[in-house]
Amino acid sequence: MGGEHGVEQGVVRDFPAGGLGSRARAWLDGDIEVRRHQEPRYAATVQLVRDPAVSWVADDETSCGVEVFMLRRVASMAFAPRMMVFPGGGVDPRDADPALVADHWAGPSPAAWAQRMACSEDVAQQLVVAAVREVFEECGVLLAGPDADSMVADVRDADWHADRVALEARELSFTELLRRRGLVLRSDLLSYRAHWVTPEFEPRRYDTAFFAALLPVGQVPDDATSEADAAGWWRPTDVLAGAADGSVLMLPPTIVALEQLAVASSSASFVAETPEVWSISSDLIEDEQGRIWMRARVPDTGAVS
């Protein structure tokens, strides 16, 4: 999965290794146990964006900017604890259900997504379904409607919440939810932004598709998920400033995604973009002072590494 462009694209940047600590050192030292290969699991995440209700002042200029919905993962999570992230998660095997495409799909087909994402049709389907399902599970926003031209407007009542809980517990498949509710998944509401693979030095690895989507009119995201202890709308520049001063923890994919979003003129223009995409992963390096960094070739956002 990735795109038609090679790794010669972008710029090389170094990111602080952060909380890798002793594991990073063990990897660089060649520890056999730490270097045991782990196959990455397919996953999807979504930058849910909106235009702010009011503009704000930044650098002495008034800017409309864009806001993005983010969650802070609870400290007990095995992967990326305490990190600020976008809604998302791993693929459920039932996301590959052919009945979902046959009866409950609107928008670009899995074949069209496969061409855009440079992967097989079955993988493309799973990633698109996982993106839509995880956003609903984690923040209660559903990118689906009665038909290809409409959307569900409000999914905040107790019955909808029960469906979210059942999905998260894997007691309900996304196909079953759509069938019972008489809905179709709106794949046209997603845009493909990036492809990141968790580096080999991490004990849990994911092969992750990054998407973007506009907040549907009438829907309100929330923090009713067991995987996060805080959630809300953020200005990208504020989150990036927090990462710079150490008050906010983020992984490199999130940092780069926010840098791209920070220069967007509107949420609609951001979602309409079709950026070049290639598979990105990080390597551990050690500088002359003994500091450990994660090095990757990433899109050029104009940031200084």
Side-chain angles (χ1 to χ4, degrees), residues 40-279:
R41 175 189 176 192
Y42 285 120
T45 189
V46 179
Q47 290 174 266
L48 189 64
V49 296
R50 71 177 186 185
D51 296 326
V54 295
S55 60
W56 60 80
V57 176
D59 297 329
D60 298 324
E61 294 184 3
T62 300
S63 170
C64 291
V66 178
E67 293 178 338
V68 62
F69 192 83
M70 301 188 72
L71 308 100
R72 186 177 64 198
R73 291 169 64 86
V74 296
S76 59
M77 295 297 290
F79 182 78
R82 300 180 299 279
M83 297 282 180
M84 289 291 290
V85 299
F86 310 118
V91 162
D92 181 330
R94 295 175 297 177
D95 293 338
D97 186 356
L100 192 154
V101 177
D103 303 323
H104 303 284
W105 188 284
S109 67
W113 279 105
Q115 184 174 12
R116 167 68 174 133
M117 301 170 71
C119 64
S120 65
E121 288 187 33
D122 62 325
V123 169
Q125 174 186 329
Q126 291 176 69
L127 291 169
V128 170
V129 175
V132 175
R133 175 181 52 75
E134 286 285 344
V135 167
F136 180 56
E137 287 181 22
E138 294 205 337
C139 67
V141 168
L142 184 58
L143 303 176
D147 54 52
D149 301 311
S150 60
M151 288 286 298
V152 290
D154 193 342
V155 291
R156 286 180 290 176
D157 66 26
D159 288 342
W160 280 111
H161 182 71
D163 285 342
R164 288 172 62 185
V165 172
L167 279 172
E168 188 171 4
R170 301 299 182 258
E171 298 168 355
L172 177 70
S173 74
F174 202 60
T175 304
E176 292 165 343
L177 170 68
L178 295 174
R179 180 183 299 121
R180 194 174 72 217
R181 295 282 186 173
L183 300 173
V184 293
L185 178 153
R186 292 280 306 276
S187 79
D188 58 307
L189 301 179
L190 292 170
S191 69
Y192 183 47
R193 298 287 315 179
H195 173 209
W196 286 78
V197 180
T198 309
E200 291 191 34
F201 50 78
E202 291 279 15
R204 288 176 179 263
R205 303 185 65 216
Y206 294 91
D207 188 324
T208 305
F210 278 64
F211 297 94
L214 294 173
L215 174 68
V217 175
Q219 294 196 37
V220 180
D222 60 33
D223 61 354
T225 173
S226 60
E227 297 184 1
D229 59 14
W233 291 100
W234 292 79
R235 294 184 296 182
T237 51
D238 290 343
V239 190
L240 291 168
D245 68 23
S247 62
V248 173
L249 299 178
M250 288 191 296
L251 293 171
T254 313
I255 293 172
V256 173
L258 286 173
E259 289 171 349
Q260 293 176 316
L261 186 56
V263 297
S265 59
S266 71
S267 58
S269 64
F270 180 76
V271 173
E273 291 175 356
T274 55
E276 296 179 348
V277 175
W278 61 92
S279 181

